[in-house]
Amino acid sequence: MSKININKSWKYDEALESKSHINLKDKYNLFIDGEFVKPLSRKYFKTINPATNESISEIAEANEKDVDLAVKSARKAFKSWSKLDPKERAKYIFRIARMIQERAKEFAVIESLNGGKPIRESRDIDIPLAANHFFYYAGWADKLEYAFPNKVPKPLGVAGQIIPWNFPLLMAAWKIAPAIACGNTVVLKPAETTSLTALKLAELIKDSGLPKGVVNIVTGAGKTGAAIVNHPDINKIAFTGSTEVGKLIERSLAGIEKKTTLELGGKGANIIFEDAAIDQAVEGIVNAIFFNQGHVCCAGSRLFIQASVADTVIEKLKDRISTLIVGDPLDKNTDIGAINSVEQLNTIEKYIEIGKKEGGEIYQTECSLPKKGNWCPPTLFLNVSQSHTIVKEEIFGPVLAIQTFRTIDEVIEKANNSPFGLSAGVWTEKGSKIFKLTKELNAGVVWANTYNKFDPCSPFGGFKESGMGREGGLHGLKSYIKFE
Ligand code: NDP
């Protein structure tokens, strides 16, 4: 029997996470020099809940002058922070990690409210991982000479950090923790649509007693990001976002002495061999593409199935996705939450239309979708090939393009036929195949018999148009130091 035996007669009752313990202001100012200050721009923008498209709060929009104030504060703080005994630096970072754990429930609910991701994910993945990044880099702060033996590591200075909307708190942790552990100070800009958990982190940082100006958080849209990139007194730019904006940033920094790391888009290949444990692989396919509504740079958005098992895998996959619950991000049963913004939903729908027009065979489940908000059912495209737009371009939504292959060399060639090189997955019982693929796939991360597993100890980053530099692990420290 090829179907997964799923008992579909079970109906889930609503299991809403409570919002009673969260504390949100009507208006958020910029976090500069350890205080919340009104923006010189005097402008605010609304931040919305993508599950209802209703406004949650108003957020300050930083202009060039605001960014300049933040950079000045970071520069001033750098003088003492970089000279502080590393053991003391570690204590602050450790304290931030503990405080995130203590306030985890509040962070999780706000992350789901503002970003649309299922509470199951923000509660069990985003927030614990964010705390883990602070713990991990707290550990390195006073051991840098062991990380780089026979060298004298020195901090770079002020780091400008720009992050996207898909993992708001986690991306802030990825950026801030290694930077301050190495003795740098920071000006961070969260994404326009999901600034709330970064601002809650600013409140937490204030409560932690971290010296003023070590972390500054300026909110705003692309212009605010550009003001950070082009500020003359910033020593390092760490950017995570689209390849398009990454290229813009690279162009504007060409010839300027600013260290840069770019974590950009992806189009991950998830490869299922005939000898794989098929039911587990089907779970892996679901996790690879439907985690966080597919708003994941390393999503396994290109599925390659060995031809001999293709019919079985596709039948099981259709059966499995028919059980996925799309709906309220705050419901603990929800598998796929809200699409992050109306703009992103339009982009995904545009790609689905292109997929159909170019001859792809679409399969969508008949799940019920809420009336208000931004939703997209889990979507499969069959009968597509390497030249289809939906196979080539990053969609950043719950849309999977499925192809088949016969030999190992064929799938390596197909998987590498992409301008991106961020991630891949391999499902097989043969270790030898895993080693061959991890060696020959052009991807910064290759998971074997699992997918979308993250750990602060592991470096993460891409090749080709997926960016340059690594974050996480020991490699992540290297991006924030120079040697003397
Ligand atoms: P964008 O590139 O649009 O935005 C990323 C950040 O840059 C946002 O804070 C954005 O501000 C800001 N920004 C926009 N324009 C400029 C500019 N000209 N100069 C400086 N900053 C600017 O990406 P998305 O937010 O849409 O994020 C999705 C992308 O991020 C996907 O391509 C995804 O693959 C990639 N990503 C990569 C990861 C990796 O580790 N490789 C991890 C996560 C995501 P605002 O949002 O306010 O406009």
Side-chain angles (χ1 to χ4, degrees):
M1 183 175 126
S2 60
K3 284 199 164 204
I4 293 181
N5 190 11
I6 298 167
N7 183 350
K8 292 183 193 163
S9 59
W10 283 76
K11 287 267 177 288
Y12 291 87
D13 279 342
E14 240 184 24
L16 288 182
E17 180 63 71
S18 163
K19 287 191 276 186
S20 62
H21 59 288
I22 69 166
N23 181 8
L24 280 176
K25 295 184 194 140
D26 294 338
K27 216 175 212 181
Y28 279 92
N29 287 315
L30 307 171
F31 185 63
I32 297 177
D33 209 26
E35 302 296 337
F36 283 92
V37 295
K38 287 189 178 157
L40 296 173
S41 71
R42 297 187 180 181
K43 287 188 188 156
Y44 290 83
F45 59 90
K46 286 194 165 75
T47 191
I48 59 132
N49 174 353
T52 59
N53 281 327
E54 284 161 8
S55 169
I56 310 175
S57 179
E58 288 199 357
I59 297 200
E61 184 183 321
N63 65 14
E64 284 181 7
K65 287 183 184 148
D66 293 303
V67 168
D68 187 50
L69 280 183
V71 175
K72 284 198 170 103
S73 144
R75 177 61 61 198
K76 196 170 85 202
F78 179 68
K79 285 196 190 105
S80 43
W81 181 250
S82 57
K83 293 199 183 77
L84 189 68
D85 180 352
K87 269 201 188 97
E88 294 305 310
R89 284 207 301 260
K91 281 186 200 166
Y92 284 112
I93 303 167
F94 191 80
R95 191 181 302 157
I96 293 170
R98 287 298 304 270
M99 289 173 73
I100 294 176
Q101 285 186 323
E102 281 160 16
R103 300 182 192 181
K105 212 168 166 191
E106 186 180 16
F107 273 106
V109 171
I110 296 173
E111 200 72 301
S112 287
L113 259 186
N114 199 199
K117 60 177 68 198
I119 187 73
R120 194 161 51 84
E121 292 178 9
S122 41
R123 182 196 59 201
D124 298 345
I125 299 168
D126 291 62
I127 312 304
L129 262 179
N132 282 351
H133 273 81
F134 281 102
F135 277 127
Y136 176 76
Y137 284 110
W140 273 123
D142 61 347
K143 300 176 196 70
L144 294 178
E145 68 267 39
Y146 300 103
F148 307 103
N150 303 322
K151 292 184 176 159
V152 184
K154 295 272 177 211
L156 297 172
V158 176
Q161 306 182 319
I162 301 165
I163 57 173
W165 44 261
N166 55 347
F167 291 94
L169 184 73
L170 183 57
M171 288 294 123
W174 272 32
K175 296 271 182 285
I176 295 172
I180 64 174
C182 294
N184 303 280
T185 54
V186 162
V187 177
L188 175 123
K189 188 194 94 64
E192 184 185 0
T193 58
T194 54
S195 303
L196 284 179
T197 45
L199 290 161
K200 292 301 286 184
L201 180 66
E203 287 178 358
L204 181 152
I205 284 173
K206 192 166 189 253
D207 294 346
S208 76
L210 187 78
K212 289 179 178 209
V214 173
V215 173
N216 301 273
I217 296 185
V218 289
T219 41
K223 266 189 171 175
T224 312
I228 294 178
V229 171
N230 297 321
H231 196 290
D233 198 28
I234 285 186
N235 306 92
K236 145 102 194 178
I237 293 293
F239 172 80
T240 299
S242 61
T243 297
E244 194 189 343
V245 176
K247 283 181 183 173
L248 272 177
I249 291 177
E250 224 183 338
R251 259 181 235 127
S252 52
L253 294 182
I256 296 173
E257 207 201 339
K258 257 183 210 173
K259 214 167 173 175
T260 317
T261 38
L262 301 172
E263 299 283 357
L264 310 177
K267 193 78 188 174
N270 200 8
I271 301 166
I272 318 294
F273 284 99
E274 61 190 1
D275 58 15
I278 297 296
D279 288 357
Q280 282 83 345
V282 169
E283 282 309 306
I285 297 167
V286 169
N287 178 39
I289 185 64
F290 301 123
F291 173 53
N292 197 22
Q293 295 73 250
H295 303 325
V296 183
C297 50
C298 49
S301 51
R302 290 183 298 154
L303 177 64
F304 294 95
I305 316 172
Q306 198 152 22
S308 50
V309 291
D311 289 347
T312 311
V313 172
I314 290 166
E315 195 180 347
K316 282 177 184 261
L317 181 61
K318 286 180 175 174
D319 201 28
R320 175 67 181 90
I321 66 173
S322 69
T323 67
L324 296 178
I325 300 171
V326 183
D328 190 343
L330 288 185
D331 191 316
K332 291 167 203 157
N333 295 319
T334 293
D335 296 300
I336 301 181
I339 299 301
N340 183 267
S341 63
V342 174
E343 291 74 32
Q344 186 58 25
L345 182 60
N346 290 341
T347 304
I348 296 168
E349 286 175 346
K350 182 194 83 185
Y351 274 113
I352 289 177
E353 279 316 304
I354 293 174
K356 287 196 277 190
K357 269 197 198 120
E358 290 183 359
E361 181 191 323
I362 188 169
Y363 178 84
Q364 285 181 318
T365 58
E366 286 169 12
C367 55
S368 66
L369 301 178
K371 301 231 158 23
K372 274 202 293 187
N374 314 323
W375 312 98
C376 180
T379 304
L380 310 179
F381 269 102
L382 300 151
N383 291 332
V384 289
S385 63
Q386 298 278 303
S387 58
H388 279 80
T389 307
I390 56 161
V391 172
K392 292 191 291 190
E393 295 181 13
E394 186 184 45
I395 301 173
F396 225 53
V399 182
L400 180 64
I402 304 177
Q403 298 173 78
T404 58
F405 67 95
R406 278 152 294 180
T407 66
I408 191 163
D409 290 332
E410 179 190 346
V411 78
I412 291 171
E413 201 166 321
K414 282 181 166 172
N416 285 340
N417 180 22
S418 165
F420 298 108
L422 189 57
S423 60
V426 184
W427 296 81
T428 170
E429 66 157 15
K430 292 268 183 281
S432 55
K433 273 187 205 159
I434 292 171
F435 285 127
K436 183 172 170 64
L437 269 88
T438 46
K439 226 168 87 186
E440 295 187 26
L441 290 174
N442 288 327
V445 181
V446 182
W447 285 287
N449 293 325
T450 186
Y451 207 100
N452 274 338
K453 287 277 178 288
F454 305 98
D455 190 300
C457 313
S458 308
F460 186 90
F463 293 109
K464 303 193 275 184
E465 294 197 12
S466 291
M468 55 190 196
R470 294 291 177 264
E471 290 186 322
L474 224 156
H475 297 66
L477 291 171
K478 244 188 185 164
S479 314
Y480 286 100
I481 49 165
K482 58 186 175 191
F483 298 115
E484 277 187 5

